[in-house]
Amino acid sequence: MAHFKKKKKGFPALSTASLPDVIFMLLFFFMVTTVMRNAELKVKVAPPKADQIKKLENKSLVSYIFIGVPQQTKVFGTLPRIQLNDQFAEPVQIREFIAAEREKMKEEDKNKMTVSMKIDSETEMGIVTDVKQELRKASALKITYSTLKGNPLDRPVNY
Amino acid sequence: MAKREIQEINAGSMADIAFLLLIFFLVTTSMDTDSGIVRKLPPMPDPNQEQEDIQVKERNVFVVLVNRSNQLLVEGQLMNVKDLREAAKEFIQNPNNDENLPVKEPKYFEYFGTLEVTSKHIISLQNDRGTAYKTYITVQNELAAAYNELRDELAMSKWFKKYDDLDEKYQKVIDEIYPMKISEAEPKNVGG
């Protein structure tokens, strides 16, 4: 009976011997195509919808600025804050941030740097404009307003 | 007892390990296809350079004001944001050569010959500091949509393809015929 022990399960019609290989392939695919979330969002960002959008091409040349209401309102208050990478910041610190991000890039890529702004829908334009002015001063002129894909006119509006 | 030729290490759990690693990666990373509206900011004016005020004719400027209550005032009249796209298209194209809309001048373009275009038109957008960001994005979206629709219509009529499906050199010519001229002024507190 010992010789027949292996046949207890019966022949699988499909050989499952290559299942680990398939899984490894999927794993490598995900390792290559995704990006480790580099910053924990400390602010609540619900991006607005737009349909005239373009995909960001080269992720390594992108710096992120988050603007929104902090997630821990008891500690940080309810006014919208700016988050650069993983810390809160004030508009004046944006210039240093851009210079630091530029340093990390190679010479020829420096003028292809884009700044992706992920801003909460309910934020008021005052703080956004301050950030844009600082970006202009730091010569970071290529910007993207990060949005979800959708028709912005679908929502019920109050005007 | 025949010599066992089976593997010493049971490889059956390799699939489980692989699944675990896969789930780890799925959870910790983000397939964040970051997409959005791409814009170029104007460079800061040189403080030493004299600011020459460019003279623009009023008919060449499409004024869009957004106030703190997210209402739009377009060319002095209240407008719903839904109508912005059509109004902007009419302004940019000026199909009937209306006197209140921008001046149309003949210009030569490759592949098209001489066309009359509103080469000096400008869309001027001004927000209030209290305007909601989503309204700003909706307005930007509608203005960009106006240009993109005009570009698509032209590409269709000439080459029977949409703008995005054209070769780069054709896209460049269409960009010259309908250049995106959206100028943003600094928001003041214009009030509700």
Side-chain angles (χ1 to χ4, degrees), chain A residues 12 18 74 114 146 152:
Chain A
S18 51
K74 289 193 209 115
T114 55
S146 183

Side-chain angles (χ1 to χ4, degrees), chain B residues 102-116:
Chain B
V103 179
K104 284 185 102 163
E105 296 171 334
K107 263 180 96 171
Y108 176 75
F109 298 103
E110 236 187 304
Y111 310 113
F112 283 91
T114 309
L115 291 178
E116 296 229 324

